[in-house]
Amino acid sequence: MTITFLGKPTGGAAKLPCYSFRVPAGFPSPATDHLEGDISLDDLFELRAPHIYLVKIEGDSMQGSGIFSGDLVIVDRSREAEHGDVVIAALNNEPVCKRLHKRNGVVILKSENPSYPARYVLEGDELLIWGVIRFSVRDHAQ
């Protein structure tokens, strides 16, 4: 797996229309009478917050959690990583995206693809949690 750090988002905060109905996976036509208002993706994802950064994921080890190769993930450095969180971390200076398991003093970094084994963090290993993934964005035109 390869992780590309894209850093802090820049640019303006465009407002997009937000409709009040749920969209089925068919072919509905959004009507203006269902327009709830405008929403800013910057506000929704807290993109301007100093503790948020972006990372591009390469590899298929997290596809079981809905994170696929080429996805952009929004990472929060301010959240304390807890058992079950998907994190961006450095294990012995190697950046990884894995699900964190912490139980009874044992730390495991788990892939969400059965083709990849879990990685137990051993006594001599250095583990630095760089942040908790809050959201992912996928380009469906690929």
Side-chain angles (χ1 to χ4, degrees):
M1 170 193 297
T2 304
I3 296 173
T4 304
F5 289 92
L6 301 177
K8 297 290 301 165
T10 60
K15 301 280 185 180
L16 303 172
C18 180
Y19 292 91
S20 63
F21 58 87
R22 304 272 181 198
V23 178
F27 297 99
S29 174
T32 56
D33 58 339
H34 290 284
L35 183 63
E36 187 174 305
D38 292 333
I39 187 168
S40 164
L41 294 180
D42 288 357
D43 293 339
L44 180 66
F45 297 142
E46 299 180 40
L47 291 179
R48 299 290 174 245
H51 56 275
I52 297 294
Y53 66 96
L54 305 175
V55 173
K56 186 171 184 179
I57 302 295
E58 296 296 332
D60 62 354
S61 70
M62 293 304 290
Q63 66 187 15
S65 67
I67 300 173
F68 294 87
S69 189
D71 283 0
L72 180 70
V73 294
I74 301 167
V75 183
D76 187 338
R77 293 186 307 205
S78 71
R79 291 183 77 169
E80 182 74 27
E82 298 179 6
H83 174 78
D85 285 340
V86 178
V87 299
I88 299 294
L91 180 61
N92 300 323
N93 295 317
E94 179 185 341
V96 295
C97 174
K98 300 292 177 205
R99 187 165 306 274
L100 179 66
H101 285 258
K102 296 191 306 188
R103 290 288 189 234
N104 302 323
V106 176
V107 178
I108 308 168
L109 297 174
K110 289 190 173 183
S111 297
E112 295 284 336
N113 180 334
S115 299
Y116 297 91
R119 175 61 162 87
Y120 286 77
V121 179
L122 304 175
E123 187 175 322
D125 289 333
E126 181 183 9
L127 176 66
L128 298 172
I129 304 294
W130 290 344
V132 176
I133 293 179
R134 297 279 314 276
F135 305 99
S136 64
V137 181
R138 180 172 308 115
D139 181 355
H140 290 276
Q142 293 181 8

